[in-house]
Amino acid sequence: MTNDQKVEILKLHKQGLGYKAIGRSLDIPVDNVKKFIKRLKSEDICICLECGSIFSPLPGKKIKRFCSKKCRLRYWQKKTRTSLKYKIQKVCPECGAVFMTYKYRQGIFCSKECFQKHESKKWREANGK
Ligand SMILES: [Zn+2]
Ligand SMILES: [Zn+2]
């Protein structure tokens, strides 16, 4: 079995597919799939989230999602980079301050105070005061 196949097996297994279904969709004998998954469970084999390589965690080590420190760093760097994409700059219409906010956020004010000021202005205008 290649590393890629192993990763695919694990993926499908996590999706809840049975041995037979996994074997059929990847064209691997069911016995091999069964053996691999059993080994996976008994030996605590892990697959690196970053590079997809299969490794056995060192006994006593807590890091189980990455094969190495390098992979862990790369993974988190990518993550923070993508999360920054969701942040955009906006200008508060009340006080003119520039602030960072998430794209999906509806609020257009830099703070609660500015929002309240704006609301009370609107109220005063509407009531002719
Ligand atoms: Zn890795
Ligand atoms: Zn403001």
Side-chain angles (χ1 to χ4, degrees):
M1 258 190 277
T2 63
N3 246 5
D4 281 348
Q5 278 175 324
K6 287 176 187 170
V7 173
E8 282 305 309
I9 291 177
L10 196 78
K11 260 194 226 159
L12 294 174
H13 179 62
K14 279 191 177 159
Q15 282 167 20
L17 259 69
Y19 302 138
K20 268 189 206 164
I22 295 172
R24 232 182 290 137
S25 65
L26 298 176
D27 206 19
I28 299 168
V30 182
D31 273 350
N32 287 10
V33 175
K34 217 187 269 181
K35 258 185 237 160
F36 176 67
I37 290 174
K38 272 195 185 150
R39 221 181 92 206
L40 208 72
K41 281 177 181 164
S42 62
E43 285 180 27
D44 211 9
I45 296 171
C46 304
I47 288 186
C48 179
L49 281 179
E50 174 60 27
C51 68
S53 68
I54 289 171
F55 64 99
S56 308
L58 294 169
K61 278 271 161 81
K62 273 186 183 170
I63 308 156
K64 279 184 177 177
R65 292 185 296 169
F66 305 99
C67 67
S68 62
K69 259 189 196 167
K70 249 191 217 165
C71 277
R72 193 180 59 184
L73 269 177
R74 227 180 286 157
Y75 180 83
W76 289 116
Q77 270 168 3
K78 261 195 245 166
K79 272 243 165 175
T80 46
R81 229 176 287 148
T82 47
S83 69
L84 275 176
K85 266 192 212 162
Y86 293 109
K87 276 201 159 184
I88 50 165
Q89 264 190 1
K90 273 187 182 170
V91 179
C92 177
E94 185 58 36
C95 70
V98 177
F99 62 103
M100 297 294 285
T101 188
Y102 292 102
K103 259 184 194 171
Y104 56 79
R105 277 228 176 128
Q106 291 298 312
I108 43 162
F109 298 95
C110 69
S111 62
K112 238 191 218 170
E113 285 76 35
C114 280
F115 174 72
Q116 278 161 0
K117 258 189 227 166
H118 185 80
E119 285 299 299
S120 65
K121 247 194 224 168
K122 253 200 327 197
W123 185 86
R124 256 179 275 142
E125 273 166 26
N127 289 279
K129 283 176 192 172

